[in-house]
Amino acid sequence: MNKGTILVTGGTGYIGSHTVVELQAAGYEVVIIDNLSNSNENVLDGIEKISGIRPAFIKGDCCDMTILRTLFQAFPGIKGIINFAASKAVGESMEKPVLYYRNNLNTLMNLLDCMAEFGVKGIVFSSSCTVYGEPDENPVTEQAPIKKATSPYGNTKQISEEVITDVINAGAPFKSVILRYFNPVGAHPSAEIGELPNGVPQNLIPYITQTAIGIRKELSVFGNDYPTPDGSCIRDFINVVDLAKAHVKAMDRMLEVPESPKIEIFNLGTGNGVSVLELINTFESATGVKVPYKIVGRRAGDIEKVWGNPSHANEVLGWKADTPLADTMRSAWAWQCKLRERGIM
Ligand code: WQD
């Protein structure tokens, strides 16, 4: 059954593409807009191979209001938006703050204007546990204090949440669900879609898989002198498909539960803290592939330890991230092997 049309901005990206697949499985029609600044159009082939449905695709920048309005006129039935379109590299944001503020904030504000004009009912916003900074205690709940952002990237997430809140509190005729991700990892079990960073990976898992397959000589572990059991940082690594499914639950709730609050916030994590060294061990035991690594100095801006309390999402969304970490590591490795098979890297 057709549950209506959803616009997914940034839908050829890592989390976006996995969410498109889950939206289609749930019965939604999907329209993607993406400027392909950090993804490739052939991701649509992978989506189609998994779901059998090729989503409508518009190559375009959400900062361009003319492009956006033309899209909404072409697809008048759009009921909801999931907004992934944003620049998201912490380190790059330190070097190019204006690019990050312009891209991430203008995109959101254009979408909010279009929602009011075209009668869109809800927006799911892709936020991040980065807003908590170094939390006072773990696991982190949605009530944890928002700490001053340590990067322009993190600040754009905080400001975006405030913009959405102010617009809705001013009486906007739509709802929003804000999803604060912990660390998304892994790939679709089909190995047809996955994480494909441009250039040298900034994030841990793609660096691990590229080292395991021989693209990178060895992994640098940024510090083992933190006050944690094994000295390395601790994170909440959440399977990307589990994460994608939470977006569908959030959209269902906004569109099908009239009494749900106009704005809701959910932490999307597993509730388990795993250290960098534990993750490397999990990858090696799950795949049987060694990951050569060396311990180097700490990376500036790194949070020491952060993992989520997902009980609010578990209870309210009826959602749980329950994929075993070993399975997630195997999915990341299978994806890396598929890329090699296709001669992509
Ligand atoms: C994880 C841990 C590193 C690479 C960021 C953003 C977050 C989200 C995910 C977008 C840290 C260590 C990493 C490496 C390493 N971004 N590491 N060697 O920084 O927790 O989160 O990316 O949605 O909002 O803040 O993720 O994967 O970069 O690092 O030792 O080569 O792995 O020090 O402890 P991070 P990450």
Side-chain angles (χ1 to χ4, degrees), residues 24-54:
Q24 292 176 325
Y28 287 104
E29 292 282 325
V30 174
V31 177
I32 294 174
I33 181 169
D34 201 303
N35 64 8
L36 301 181
S37 62
N38 197 24
S39 60
N40 193 298
E41 192 168 345
N42 62 24
V43 168
L44 299 173
D45 302 332
I47 292 170
E48 186 176 10
K49 277 193 191 145
I50 296 166
S51 68
I53 307 164
R54 192 177 190 83

PDB file of all heavy atoms in Angstrom, residues 24-54:
ATOM      1  N   GLN A  24      10.904   2.543   1.555  1.00  0.00           N
ATOM      2  CA  GLN A  24      10.249   1.801   0.467  1.00  0.00           C
ATOM      3  C   GLN A  24       9.660   0.495   0.988  1.00  0.00           C
ATOM      4  O   GLN A  24       8.537   0.125   0.669  1.00  0.00           O
ATOM      5  CB  GLN A  24      11.251   1.517  -0.653  1.00  0.00           C
ATOM      6  CG  GLN A  24      11.717   2.758  -1.399  1.00  0.00           C
ATOM      7  CD  GLN A  24      12.784   2.439  -2.428  1.00  0.00           C
ATOM      8  OE1 GLN A  24      13.631   1.551  -2.215  1.00  0.00           O
ATOM      9  NE2 GLN A  24      12.770   3.145  -3.555  1.00  0.00           N
ATOM     10  N   ALA A  25      10.410  -0.183   1.846  1.00  0.00           N
ATOM     11  CA  ALA A  25       9.914  -1.459   2.406  1.00  0.00           C
ATOM     12  C   ALA A  25       8.656  -1.236   3.242  1.00  0.00           C
ATOM     13  O   ALA A  25       7.789  -2.112   3.334  1.00  0.00           O
ATOM     14  CB  ALA A  25      11.005  -2.100   3.256  1.00  0.00           C
ATOM     15  N   ALA A  26       8.546  -0.033   3.809  1.00  0.00           N
ATOM     16  CA  ALA A  26       7.392   0.261   4.671  1.00  0.00           C
ATOM     17  C   ALA A  26       6.198   0.753   3.863  1.00  0.00           C
ATOM     18  O   ALA A  26       5.119   1.002   4.423  1.00  0.00           O
ATOM     19  CB  ALA A  26       7.786   1.322   5.709  1.00  0.00           C
ATOM     20  N   GLY A  27       6.379   0.953   2.540  1.00  0.00           N
ATOM     21  CA  GLY A  27       5.254   1.346   1.684  1.00  0.00           C
ATOM     22  C   GLY A  27       5.220   2.804   1.295  1.00  0.00           C
ATOM     23  O   GLY A  27       4.219   3.301   0.751  1.00  0.00           O
ATOM     24  N   TYR A  28       6.302   3.542   1.580  1.00  0.00           N
ATOM     25  CA  TYR A  28       6.357   4.947   1.165  1.00  0.00           C
ATOM     26  C   TYR A  28       6.948   5.057  -0.245  1.00  0.00           C
ATOM     27  O   TYR A  28       7.820   4.270  -0.630  1.00  0.00           O
ATOM     28  CB  TYR A  28       7.251   5.760   2.120  1.00  0.00           C
ATOM     29  CG  TYR A  28       6.642   6.017   3.490  1.00  0.00           C
ATOM     30  CD1 TYR A  28       7.067   5.310   4.606  1.00  0.00           C
ATOM     31  CD2 TYR A  28       5.644   6.978   3.670  1.00  0.00           C
ATOM     32  CE1 TYR A  28       6.532   5.545   5.873  1.00  0.00           C
ATOM     33  CE2 TYR A  28       5.091   7.217   4.933  1.00  0.00           C
ATOM     34  CZ  TYR A  28       5.541   6.502   6.022  1.00  0.00           C
ATOM     35  OH  TYR A  28       4.994   6.736   7.265  1.00  0.00           O
ATOM     36  N   GLU A  29       6.455   6.053  -0.991  1.00  0.00           N
ATOM     37  CA  GLU A  29       7.116   6.473  -2.237  1.00  0.00           C
ATOM     38  C   GLU A  29       8.237   7.435  -1.822  1.00  0.00           C
ATOM     39  O   GLU A  29       8.040   8.247  -0.897  1.00  0.00           O
ATOM     40  CB  GLU A  29       6.131   7.259  -3.108  1.00  0.00           C
ATOM     41  CG  GLU A  29       4.984   6.455  -3.671  1.00  0.00           C
ATOM     42  CD  GLU A  29       5.389   5.615  -4.880  1.00  0.00           C
ATOM     43  OE1 GLU A  29       6.239   6.092  -5.670  1.00  0.00           O
ATOM     44  OE2 GLU A  29       4.890   4.484  -4.990  1.00  0.00           O
ATOM     45  N   VAL A  30       9.383   7.359  -2.498  1.00  0.00           N
ATOM     46  CA  VAL A  30      10.496   8.222  -2.100  1.00  0.00           C
ATOM     47  C   VAL A  30      10.976   9.082  -3.268  1.00  0.00           C
ATOM     48  O   VAL A  30      11.098   8.607  -4.402  1.00  0.00           O
ATOM     49  CB  VAL A  30      11.683   7.380  -1.568  1.00  0.00           C
ATOM     50  CG1 VAL A  30      12.898   8.265  -1.285  1.00  0.00           C
ATOM     51  CG2 VAL A  30      11.268   6.634  -0.293  1.00  0.00           C
ATOM     52  N   VAL A  31      11.195  10.355  -2.955  1.00  0.00           N
ATOM     53  CA  VAL A  31      11.864  11.266  -3.903  1.00  0.00           C
ATOM     54  C   VAL A  31      13.175  11.696  -3.243  1.00  0.00           C
ATOM     55  O   VAL A  31      13.178  12.094  -2.070  1.00  0.00           O
ATOM     56  CB  VAL A  31      10.995  12.521  -4.176  1.00  0.00           C
ATOM     57  CG1 VAL A  31      11.730  13.499  -5.097  1.00  0.00           C
ATOM     58  CG2 VAL A  31       9.654  12.114  -4.776  1.00  0.00           C
ATOM     59  N   ILE A  32      14.263  11.598  -3.958  1.00  0.00           N
ATOM     60  CA  ILE A  32      15.578  11.989  -3.417  1.00  0.00           C
ATOM     61  C   ILE A  32      16.035  13.273  -4.100  1.00  0.00           C
ATOM     62  O   ILE A  32      15.922  13.411  -5.317  1.00  0.00           O
ATOM     63  CB  ILE A  32      16.634  10.890  -3.687  1.00  0.00           C
ATOM     64  CG1 ILE A  32      16.322   9.612  -2.914  1.00  0.00           C
ATOM     65  CG2 ILE A  32      18.040  11.389  -3.343  1.00  0.00           C
ATOM     66  CD1 ILE A  32      17.260   8.446  -3.261  1.00  0.00           C
ATOM     67  N   ILE A  33      16.531  14.195  -3.287  1.00  0.00           N
ATOM     68  CA  ILE A  33      17.316  15.294  -3.857  1.00  0.00           C
ATOM     69  C   ILE A  33      18.704  15.235  -3.219  1.00  0.00           C
ATOM     70  O   ILE A  33      18.832  15.057  -1.998  1.00  0.00           O
ATOM     71  CB  ILE A  33      16.669  16.680  -3.629  1.00  0.00           C
ATOM     72  CG1 ILE A  33      17.528  17.779  -4.261  1.00  0.00           C
ATOM     73  CG2 ILE A  33      16.391  16.965  -2.153  1.00  0.00           C
ATOM     74  CD1 ILE A  33      16.879  19.147  -4.341  1.00  0.00           C
ATOM     75  N   ASP A  34      19.714  15.320  -4.063  1.00  0.00           N
ATOM     76  CA  ASP A  34      21.087  15.259  -3.549  1.00  0.00           C
ATOM     77  C   ASP A  34      21.986  16.023  -4.526  1.00  0.00           C
ATOM     78  O   ASP A  34      21.825  15.909  -5.751  1.00  0.00           O
ATOM     79  CB  ASP A  34      21.547  13.789  -3.448  1.00  0.00           C
ATOM     80  CG  ASP A  34      22.704  13.605  -2.484  1.00  0.00           C
ATOM     81  OD1 ASP A  34      23.760  14.267  -2.693  1.00  0.00           O
ATOM     82  OD2 ASP A  34      22.574  12.833  -1.517  1.00  0.00           O
ATOM     83  N   ASN A  35      22.939  16.784  -4.000  1.00  0.00           N
ATOM     84  CA  ASN A  35      23.843  17.527  -4.914  1.00  0.00           C
ATOM     85  C   ASN A  35      25.076  16.693  -5.273  1.00  0.00           C
ATOM     86  O   ASN A  35      25.985  17.166  -5.959  1.00  0.00           O
ATOM     87  CB  ASN A  35      24.243  18.883  -4.305  1.00  0.00           C
ATOM     88  CG  ASN A  35      25.060  18.715  -3.020  1.00  0.00           C
ATOM     89  OD1 ASN A  35      25.458  17.588  -2.673  1.00  0.00           O
ATOM     90  ND2 ASN A  35      25.306  19.800  -2.334  1.00  0.00           N
ATOM     91  N   LEU A  36      25.127  15.475  -4.774  1.00  0.00           N
ATOM     92  CA  LEU A  36      26.223  14.531  -5.094  1.00  0.00           C
ATOM     93  C   LEU A  36      27.597  15.090  -4.709  1.00  0.00           C
ATOM     94  O   LEU A  36      28.632  14.679  -5.276  1.00  0.00           O
ATOM     95  CB  LEU A  36      26.177  14.150  -6.582  1.00  0.00           C
ATOM     96  CG  LEU A  36      24.868  13.499  -7.060  1.00  0.00           C
ATOM     97  CD1 LEU A  36      24.970  13.150  -8.561  1.00  0.00           C
ATOM     98  CD2 LEU A  36      24.538  12.226  -6.269  1.00  0.00           C
ATOM     99  N   SER A  37      27.614  16.016  -3.744  1.00  0.00           N
ATOM    100  CA  SER A  37      28.923  16.558  -3.319  1.00  0.00           C
ATOM    101  C   SER A  37      29.691  15.516  -2.513  1.00  0.00           C
ATOM    102  O   SER A  37      30.912  15.576  -2.417  1.00  0.00           O
ATOM    103  CB  SER A  37      28.705  17.812  -2.452  1.00  0.00           C
ATOM    104  OG  SER A  37      27.970  17.460  -1.279  1.00  0.00           O
ATOM    105  N   ASN A  38      28.979  14.563  -1.916  1.00  0.00           N
ATOM    106  CA  ASN A  38      29.677  13.569  -1.103  1.00  0.00           C
ATOM    107  C   ASN A  38      29.091  12.173  -1.317  1.00  0.00           C
ATOM    108  O   ASN A  38      29.090  11.332  -0.419  1.00  0.00           O
ATOM    109  CB  ASN A  38      29.584  13.954   0.391  1.00  0.00           C
ATOM    110  CG  ASN A  38      30.615  13.200   1.224  1.00  0.00           C
ATOM    111  OD1 ASN A  38      31.649  12.752   0.718  1.00  0.00           O
ATOM    112  ND2 ASN A  38      30.317  13.020   2.495  1.00  0.00           N
ATOM    113  N   SER A  39      28.514  11.974  -2.528  1.00  0.00           N
ATOM    114  CA  SER A  39      27.940  10.657  -2.843  1.00  0.00           C
ATOM    115  C   SER A  39      27.882  10.516  -4.364  1.00  0.00           C
ATOM    116  O   SER A  39      28.220  11.453  -5.100  1.00  0.00           O
ATOM    117  CB  SER A  39      26.535  10.522  -2.240  1.00  0.00           C
ATOM    118  OG  SER A  39      25.681  11.519  -2.774  1.00  0.00           O
ATOM    119  N   ASN A  40      27.404   9.357  -4.825  1.00  0.00           N
ATOM    120  CA  ASN A  40      27.410   9.084  -6.264  1.00  0.00           C
ATOM    121  C   ASN A  40      26.027   8.623  -6.718  1.00  0.00           C
ATOM    122  O   ASN A  40      25.330   7.901  -6.000  1.00  0.00           O
ATOM    123  CB  ASN A  40      28.436   7.970  -6.516  1.00  0.00           C
ATOM    124  CG  ASN A  40      28.766   7.821  -7.994  1.00  0.00           C
ATOM    125  OD1 ASN A  40      27.867   7.511  -8.785  1.00  0.00           O
ATOM    126  ND2 ASN A  40      30.005   8.079  -8.360  1.00  0.00           N
ATOM    127  N   GLU A  41      25.638   8.997  -7.911  1.00  0.00           N
ATOM    128  CA  GLU A  41      24.304   8.660  -8.421  1.00  0.00           C
ATOM    129  C   GLU A  41      24.107   7.150  -8.563  1.00  0.00           C
ATOM    130  O   GLU A  41      22.984   6.641  -8.509  1.00  0.00           O
ATOM    131  CB  GLU A  41      24.056   9.348  -9.769  1.00  0.00           C
ATOM    132  CG  GLU A  41      22.596   9.281 -10.226  1.00  0.00           C
ATOM    133  CD  GLU A  41      22.315  10.210 -11.406  1.00  0.00           C
ATOM    134  OE1 GLU A  41      23.144  11.104 -11.684  1.00  0.00           O
ATOM    135  OE2 GLU A  41      21.250  10.034 -12.039  1.00  0.00           O
ATOM    136  N   ASN A  42      25.222   6.407  -8.681  1.00  0.00           N
ATOM    137  CA  ASN A  42      25.023   4.948  -8.855  1.00  0.00           C
ATOM    138  C   ASN A  42      24.526   4.275  -7.579  1.00  0.00           C
ATOM    139  O   ASN A  42      24.185   3.088  -7.584  1.00  0.00           O
ATOM    140  CB  ASN A  42      26.300   4.283  -9.379  1.00  0.00           C
ATOM    141  CG  ASN A  42      27.460   4.421  -8.415  1.00  0.00           C
ATOM    142  OD1 ASN A  42      27.259   4.594  -7.216  1.00  0.00           O
ATOM    143  ND2 ASN A  42      28.676   4.351  -8.927  1.00  0.00           N
ATOM    144  N   VAL A  43      24.452   5.040  -6.488  1.00  0.00           N
ATOM    145  CA  VAL A  43      23.819   4.492  -5.270  1.00  0.00           C
ATOM    146  C   VAL A  43      22.367   4.112  -5.572  1.00  0.00           C
ATOM    147  O   VAL A  43      21.822   3.160  -4.998  1.00  0.00           O
ATOM    148  CB  VAL A  43      23.899   5.530  -4.125  1.00  0.00           C
ATOM    149  CG1 VAL A  43      23.013   5.140  -2.944  1.00  0.00           C
ATOM    150  CG2 VAL A  43      25.342   5.716  -3.657  1.00  0.00           C
ATOM    151  N   LEU A  44      21.765   4.814  -6.540  1.00  0.00           N
ATOM    152  CA  LEU A  44      20.367   4.503  -6.917  1.00  0.00           C
ATOM    153  C   LEU A  44      20.254   3.066  -7.447  1.00  0.00           C
ATOM    154  O   LEU A  44      19.239   2.391  -7.242  1.00  0.00           O
ATOM    155  CB  LEU A  44      19.873   5.493  -7.978  1.00  0.00           C
ATOM    156  CG  LEU A  44      19.857   6.976  -7.576  1.00  0.00           C
ATOM    157  CD1 LEU A  44      19.503   7.850  -8.769  1.00  0.00           C
ATOM    158  CD2 LEU A  44      18.893   7.231  -6.424  1.00  0.00           C
ATOM    159  N   ASP A  45      21.324   2.607  -8.113  1.00  0.00           N
ATOM    160  CA  ASP A  45      21.317   1.212  -8.614  1.00  0.00           C
ATOM    161  C   ASP A  45      21.257   0.235  -7.440  1.00  0.00           C
ATOM    162  O   ASP A  45      20.541  -0.763  -7.459  1.00  0.00           O
ATOM    163  CB  ASP A  45      22.574   0.935  -9.448  1.00  0.00           C
ATOM    164  CG  ASP A  45      22.716   1.888 -10.639  1.00  0.00           C
ATOM    165  OD1 ASP A  45      21.664   2.371 -11.136  1.00  0.00           O
ATOM    166  OD2 ASP A  45      23.853   2.169 -11.045  1.00  0.00           O
ATOM    167  N   GLY A  46      22.038   0.557  -6.406  1.00  0.00           N
ATOM    168  CA  GLY A  46      22.051  -0.329  -5.239  1.00  0.00           C
ATOM    169  C   GLY A  46      20.701  -0.362  -4.549  1.00  0.00           C
ATOM    170  O   GLY A  46      20.204  -1.427  -4.165  1.00  0.00           O
ATOM    171  N   ILE A  47      20.087   0.824  -4.418  1.00  0.00           N
ATOM    172  CA  ILE A  47      18.754   0.902  -3.792  1.00  0.00           C
ATOM    173  C   ILE A  47      17.763   0.059  -4.596  1.00  0.00           C
ATOM    174  O   ILE A  47      17.007  -0.743  -4.040  1.00  0.00           O
ATOM    175  CB  ILE A  47      18.280   2.368  -3.700  1.00  0.00           C
ATOM    176  CG1 ILE A  47      19.139   3.152  -2.698  1.00  0.00           C
ATOM    177  CG2 ILE A  47      16.795   2.444  -3.322  1.00  0.00           C
ATOM    178  CD1 ILE A  47      18.899   4.653  -2.709  1.00  0.00           C
ATOM    179  N   GLU A  48      17.820   0.217  -5.924  1.00  0.00           N
ATOM    180  CA  GLU A  48      16.870  -0.521  -6.784  1.00  0.00           C
ATOM    181  C   GLU A  48      17.099  -2.021  -6.711  1.00  0.00           C
ATOM    182  O   GLU A  48      16.160  -2.820  -6.687  1.00  0.00           O
ATOM    183  CB  GLU A  48      17.001  -0.036  -8.225  1.00  0.00           C
ATOM    184  CG  GLU A  48      15.955  -0.631  -9.154  1.00  0.00           C
ATOM    185  CD  GLU A  48      16.019  -0.066 -10.575  1.00  0.00           C
ATOM    186  OE1 GLU A  48      17.001   0.648 -10.911  1.00  0.00           O
ATOM    187  OE2 GLU A  48      15.079  -0.345 -11.333  1.00  0.00           O
ATOM    188  N   LYS A  49      18.377  -2.429  -6.607  1.00  0.00           N
ATOM    189  CA  LYS A  49      18.674  -3.871  -6.516  1.00  0.00           C
ATOM    190  C   LYS A  49      18.079  -4.449  -5.229  1.00  0.00           C
ATOM    191  O   LYS A  49      17.601  -5.577  -5.187  1.00  0.00           O
ATOM    192  CB  LYS A  49      20.187  -4.094  -6.502  1.00  0.00           C
ATOM    193  CG  LYS A  49      20.818  -4.112  -7.897  1.00  0.00           C
ATOM    194  CD  LYS A  49      22.221  -4.637  -7.876  1.00  0.00           C
ATOM    195  CE  LYS A  49      22.928  -4.395  -9.239  1.00  0.00           C
ATOM    196  NZ  LYS A  49      24.356  -4.113  -9.041  1.00  0.00           N
ATOM    197  N   ILE A  50      18.089  -3.661  -4.160  1.00  0.00           N
ATOM    198  CA  ILE A  50      17.571  -4.164  -2.880  1.00  0.00           C
ATOM    199  C   ILE A  50      16.044  -4.172  -2.867  1.00  0.00           C
ATOM    200  O   ILE A  50      15.411  -5.159  -2.504  1.00  0.00           O
ATOM    201  CB  ILE A  50      18.095  -3.299  -1.713  1.00  0.00           C
ATOM    202  CG1 ILE A  50      19.626  -3.420  -1.598  1.00  0.00           C
ATOM    203  CG2 ILE A  50      17.438  -3.713  -0.390  1.00  0.00           C
ATOM    204  CD1 ILE A  50      20.244  -2.350  -0.701  1.00  0.00           C
ATOM    205  N   SER A  51      15.472  -3.015  -3.279  1.00  0.00           N
ATOM    206  CA  SER A  51      14.010  -2.864  -3.081  1.00  0.00           C
ATOM    207  C   SER A  51      13.202  -3.179  -4.337  1.00  0.00           C
ATOM    208  O   SER A  51      11.988  -3.373  -4.263  1.00  0.00           O
ATOM    209  CB  SER A  51      13.715  -1.409  -2.674  1.00  0.00           C
ATOM    210  OG  SER A  51      13.992  -0.546  -3.771  1.00  0.00           O
ATOM    211  N   GLY A  52      13.871  -3.168  -5.489  1.00  0.00           N
ATOM    212  CA  GLY A  52      13.126  -3.360  -6.741  1.00  0.00           C
ATOM    213  C   GLY A  52      12.465  -2.087  -7.223  1.00  0.00           C
ATOM    214  O   GLY A  52      11.754  -2.064  -8.224  1.00  0.00           O
ATOM    215  N   ILE A  53      12.688  -0.998  -6.468  1.00  0.00           N
ATOM    216  CA  ILE A  53      12.051   0.288  -6.832  1.00  0.00           C
ATOM    217  C   ILE A  53      13.145   1.355  -6.949  1.00  0.00           C
ATOM    218  O   ILE A  53      13.917   1.568  -6.000  1.00  0.00           O
ATOM    219  CB  ILE A  53      11.055   0.751  -5.744  1.00  0.00           C
ATOM    220  CG1 ILE A  53      10.043  -0.353  -5.435  1.00  0.00           C
ATOM    221  CG2 ILE A  53      10.350   2.042  -6.161  1.00  0.00           C
ATOM    222  CD1 ILE A  53       9.287  -0.129  -4.118  1.00  0.00           C
ATOM    223  N   ARG A  54      13.223   1.986  -8.115  1.00  0.00           N
ATOM    224  CA  ARG A  54      14.207   3.080  -8.269  1.00  0.00           C
ATOM    225  C   ARG A  54      13.546   4.384  -7.844  1.00  0.00           C
ATOM    226  O   ARG A  54      12.558   4.793  -8.455  1.00  0.00           O
ATOM    227  CB  ARG A  54      14.664   3.158  -9.731  1.00  0.00           C
ATOM    228  CG  ARG A  54      15.888   4.051  -9.934  1.00  0.00           C
ATOM    229  CD  ARG A  54      16.338   4.026 -11.386  1.00  0.00           C
ATOM    230  NE  ARG A  54      17.633   4.688 -11.564  1.00  0.00           N
ATOM    231  CZ  ARG A  54      18.814   4.098 -11.344  1.00  0.00           C
ATOM    232  NH1 ARG A  54      18.839   2.840 -10.904  1.00  0.00           N
ATOM    233  NH2 ARG A  54      19.955   4.753 -11.530  1.00  0.00           N
TER     234      ARG A  54
END
